[in-house]
Amino acid sequence: MKNRFIFLSSCLLSAMLLFSCKDNNKESEEKTTEVTTQSDTDFRPAFHFTPEENWMNDPNGMFFLNGTYHLFFQYYPDGNTWGPMHWGHATSKDLIKWEEKPIALEPDEQGYIFSGSAVVDTENTSGFGDGKTPPVIAMFTYHDPKGEEEGRDDYQTQAIAYSLDEGKTFTKYEGNPVIENPGIRDFRDPKITRDEVHDQWVMVLSANDQTMFYTSQNLKDWKLVSEFGRGIGAHGGVWECPDFIHMKVEGSDQKKWVLIQSLNPGGFNGGSGTQYFVGEFDGKTFTLDESMKDLSEDHNYWLDFGKDNYAGVTWTNIPEEDGRHLFMGWMSNWQYANEVPTETWRSAMTIARELKLTKTGETYRIVSTPVAELQKYKGQKFTKNSIAVEGKTQIANSEDIDLSQSVISFEIEDLKDQEYDFSLTSGGDDVLKFGYDHKAEKFYIDRSNSGLTGFNENFGDKISTAPRLSDDSNLEVKAVLDNMSIELFFDNGKTVMTEIFFPEQPINSFTAEGNDFSIKNLTINEVKLN
Ligand code: FRU
């Protein structure tokens, strides 16, 4: 992690001397040139958020207020690779159609503005309110690049800023930082939640290999109350970007606390990934549920098993009558994020998703599905009740429907011990494959021949796999496609896989392959924003 920031900071320094990161590294310059000349396609997704221009990573500070969803994001406005972080800003009425707004927070002498969260302080517990509009409090990490370069351990601190105009503009608190660094190198990404049960604010913070829990009454004075996670779950890298949410268990009156915890590297299929833990919270300490006790390094509690859903967190202040847990992640992976073959903009967010907590036997699972609002933007529709697959079988092509921005849903009944393979092919020879092996009970995505892959050795080298987490004899599949991304929701979101890919031509054919099976209830909906 440290090396990543230092490397990028030094590229920035070079940029000031009129050399870009690419120019500094001959090999990577050659690679980039070779890659970009292969295609003049614009990969920009149509209905996933991307910044108009330049670099973006984690979603930050998401809150809802007066009919508007706010999304802030790690943003570098002066280049298309990672640089001194700002908080960019976008708003939406429905989580699908986003409008980019002016930058909300800029770096200052205390450092870059790293990831964090925002809450609406309806009761004005912070005292920042003016009696008219409820103050919005953003909490973020200051990353001091000078401290980092000097080799200090305390260069990340926590700070707050407040907005009295519903998130349009923020004023940094003069008492910053509100949490000093106790000497922990990776100490960042505060996520605040309202703990109604104990009538307090709770903040989770990633600190190297664990999550720290803080509580507060006024959002300014924070008390460290506990730590969680050392030796529990996956630890292949540094823990980053936690979230802590109180979730109802589907079909019961029970509620559980869920800790979402990203880590990089060490994700299920390599690089960045997001795991979760289910348990109880007594106002101070988070205790893992009995069913997850002794959770090993190679567990299967991942929000998404694909390579490209990182640092995702949920919106705060969702009205009770709505009650959903709404989530969005960054659709990339630190293994190659800085090198993906786009120029004017770099990185997209996942589709907004609804998270639910289910219990089967003693096992808790988070299931995720695209938010219902996505269904508002339907274009053409293509349906078939049943398609017999024998060998390689065409399911749909561009004469039936525009597949490149679409939602494909279907079912397979009475699964047999065999492989079910699907291909999305572009005008050239590019093919993105995904499927399910019922014998191994594993899903996969294979993007090795999906178009531009050579920009980084970790991009198309391995087939990503994911376990099936359902024992239903039927399989439900939903694929959300948007030019350069596929988000696969298997078994109604029990197993999710998100990956990006860069076909040289738009996807225009969908085929299936396998040994005598039927695709049932196929629906393909184009997604059109206008
Ligand atoms: C996660 C992350 C955060 C950090 C931010 C910096 O992707 O490394 O931990 O705050 O990105 O941009």
Side-chain angles (χ1 to χ4, degrees), residues 446-463:
D446 178 358
R447 61 181 176 188
S448 56
N449 292 306
S450 62
L452 305 185
T453 57
F455 53 89
N456 183 290
E457 59 182 14
N458 292 310
F459 187 79
D461 60 332
K462 286 197 201 108
I463 295 175

Side-chain angles (χ1 to χ4, degrees), residues 384-389 395 409-412 422 510 512 517-522:
K384 277 200 174 166
N385 285 343
S386 184
I387 301 171
V389 177
I395 310 293
S409 325
F410 61 90
E411 285 159 40
I412 300 168
F422 302 91
F510 179 41
F517 71 96
S518 290
I519 291 182
K520 299 281 187 195
N521 302 328
L522 172 80

Side-chain angles (χ1 to χ4, degrees), residues 1 4-5 57-58 74 82 85 114-115 188-189 240-241 310-311 330 334:
M1 174 55 50
R4 191 181 94 217
F5 292 134
N57 55 290
D58 317 353
Q74 288 288 277
W82 191 90
M85 284 290 112
F114 270 23
S115 286
R188 57 178 175 268
D189 311 334
E240 301 181 316
C241 298
Y310 191 58
W330 172 47
W334 281 116

Side-chain angles (χ1 to χ4, degrees), residues 78-210:
D78 301 318
N80 65 4
T81 48
W82 191 90
M85 284 290 112
H86 299 54
W87 274 26
H89 185 201
T91 60
S92 172
K93 293 284 178 198
D94 61 13
L95 296 159
I96 304 294
K97 206 170 179 173
W98 292 95
E99 201 180 310
E100 197 170 339
K101 300 283 177 189
I103 287 173
L105 288 167
E106 303 200 4
D108 56 46
E109 66 289 348
Q110 294 194 59
Y112 303 163
I113 314 293
F114 270 23
S115 286
S117 55
V119 289
V120 179
D121 184 15
T122 320
E123 305 293 325
N124 196 20
T125 61
S126 62
F128 288 128
D130 57 6
K132 291 181 234 144
T133 335
V136 177
I137 316 300
M139 189 167 198
F140 56 89
T141 298
Y142 264 128
H143 171 97
D144 173 13
K146 287 193 284 327
E148 183 189 19
E149 247 164 62
E150 285 161 14
R152 299 164 65 112
D153 285 337
D154 59 357
Y155 56 86
Q156 294 184 337
T157 54
Q158 318 314 319
I160 56 176
Y162 59 93
S163 170
L164 299 178
D165 55 9
E166 302 190 9
K168 277 192 204 77
T169 57
F170 281 87
T171 306
K172 288 172 186 147
Y173 176 48
E174 73 274 7
N176 282 334
V178 292
I179 301 179
E180 300 274 2
N181 188 310
I184 302 171
R185 189 169 278 279
D186 295 293
F187 184 68
R188 57 178 175 268
D189 311 334
K191 177 72 165 68
I192 311 175
T193 193
R194 181 74 204 161
D195 172 6
E196 297 293 355
V197 184
H198 307 98
D199 198 23
Q200 60 181 355
W201 298 103
V202 176
M203 187 271 283
V204 280
L205 186 75
S206 288
N208 190 12
D209 60 346
Q210 56 181 346

Side-chain angles (χ1 to χ4, degrees), residues 344-389:
T344 45
W345 57 283
R346 200 172 258 138
S347 297
M349 294 299 180
T350 66
I351 202 73
R353 300 173 185 183
E354 180 177 357
L355 305 184
K356 286 185 178 162
L357 186 63
T358 62
K359 189 179 185 191
T360 313
E362 291 308 309
T363 308
Y364 293 93
R365 289 274 171 207
I366 287 195
V367 299
S368 1
T369 46
V371 289
E373 285 88 335
L374 181 59
Q375 291 167 23
K376 278 179 28 186
Y377 295 104
K378 283 179 178 159
Q380 301 273 353
K381 185 174 177 172
F382 177 78
T383 58
K384 277 200 174 166
N385 285 343
S386 184
I387 301 171
V389 177

